[in-house]
Amino acid sequence: MNTTHYKQKNILHFLAEIIGSASGRSSDVGLPVWLQQLAALLGVIALSPLLLTVYVLIKWESAGPVVFKQVRVGKHGRTFTLYKFRSMYMANDARYVDPATLASDRDGVCKKYFQDPRITRVGKFIRKYSIDELPQLWNVVRGDMVLVGPRPALPSEVAEYDFKAKRRLQVRPGLTGLWQVSGRADTTFEQQIALDSKYVAEKSLWMDLKILLLTLPAVVSAKGAY
């Protein structure tokens, strides 16, 4: 393992543990994890026809793996492999555009591109309605994530977090969350951190249920999805 990466990973873990201890509040309040895992497993089974259809469409449109895997940061800085349906052209595809040549439409650590030329036609649709995120139901089943929580960030993003932003690491990352039902990419990075911090501080069974109920309308409206 790369020594620098190992040190960064341990520093993230150490800082998150300090923040978690300082809060004096359990991160296990809210919907029981086992219930969320069961719901995610049932979701995988129920949505299997849709998942198979998306699999075929992605395979048909462009070359490359159908499922995109990426390392993300979870609770207390622990890293895990996140799964998504691939929505972009591969780097060896003639239609691929190097993101280094693109200007982010959002300030802050987490970059967003409202008109990203790397996205495929199928990718544009599945991203609009968050279908590309459905493979993360398996992350929930595995225990890497839960249904409700802050979105998991990249290690490179977490490495730039200030003390306030690191509060996101006190809880498991989620498939949906307060940020998702409050505008998603239409919010600034500072607003996202504020929403995630609010969730961490006020997390409860009722808040989790409320966010789940608000998720479907947010997904159907496609507000803030790019």
Side-chain angles (χ1 to χ4, degrees):
M1 179 182 290
N2 183 277
T3 304
T4 302
H5 173 73
Y6 179 82
K7 289 181 178 178
Q8 289 178 340
K9 181 177 177 180
N10 278 299
I11 290 172
L12 290 174
H13 190 180
F14 176 69
L15 288 172
E17 289 285 2
I18 291 176
I19 298 169
S21 299
S23 69
R25 186 172 184 270
S26 172
S27 62
D28 294 328
V29 294
L31 277 174
V33 173
W34 69 265
L35 184 58
Q36 298 190 57
Q37 290 176 303
L38 177 60
L41 179 59
L42 294 176
V44 170
I45 296 171
L47 294 171
S48 55
L50 173 62
L51 298 175
L52 181 59
T53 300
V54 174
Y55 181 96
V56 172
L57 289 174
I58 294 174
K59 199 72 176 175
W60 167 77
E61 184 181 27
S62 61
V66 172
V67 176
F68 173 70
K69 301 177 183 180
Q70 192 175 52
V71 174
R72 296 291 180 106
V73 180
K75 183 178 179 181
H76 292 169
R78 296 184 180 90
T79 56
F80 67 95
T81 300
L82 176 137
Y83 304 106
K84 295 180 69 170
F85 278 127
R86 179 174 59 83
S87 60
M88 296 184 179
Y89 295 111
M90 298 295 293
N92 58 359
D93 193 300
R95 295 164 289 187
Y96 179 82
V97 177
D98 187 347
T101 64
L102 305 174
S104 176
D105 293 301
R106 189 192 198 204
D107 293 330
V109 174
C110 186
K111 300 185 184 301
K112 296 290 181 182
Y113 308 98
F114 295 159
Q115 297 294 329
D116 195 330
R118 298 172 296 170
I119 300 176
T120 66
R121 287 176 299 172
V122 172
K124 186 174 182 179
F125 179 83
I126 63 176
R127 287 168 71 99
K128 182 177 181 180
Y129 296 105
S130 298
I131 298 172
D132 62 319
E133 311 285 2
L134 289 179
Q136 287 158 48
L137 286 169
W138 188 244
N139 283 118
V140 177
V141 174
R142 286 166 48 94
D144 303 321
M145 297 171 57
V146 285
L147 293 178
V148 183
R151 289 297 294 161
L154 294 165
S156 59
E157 295 171 348
V158 175
E160 296 184 41
Y161 279 1
D162 58 17
F163 187 84
K164 182 179 179 180
K166 287 188 174 75
R167 293 191 64 195
R168 304 176 78 250
L169 304 179
Q170 290 180 30
V171 297
R172 297 193 203 202
L175 188 59
T176 185
L178 190 58
W179 173 66
Q180 280 76 11
V181 300
S182 303
R184 290 192 278 186
D186 283 343
T187 62
T188 65
F189 177 70
E190 288 73 20
Q191 289 172 325
Q192 179 184 353
I193 295 302
L195 287 166
D196 288 339
S197 296
K198 177 181 174 65
Y199 173 77
V200 172
E202 302 177 9
K203 182 180 179 183
S204 66
L205 176 61
W206 166 241
M207 177 175 274
D208 281 356
L209 290 173
K210 183 179 179 181
I211 290 172
L212 285 174
L213 289 173
L214 291 173
T215 294
L216 183 58
V219 169
V220 172
S221 70
K223 179 176 172 57
Y226 301 99

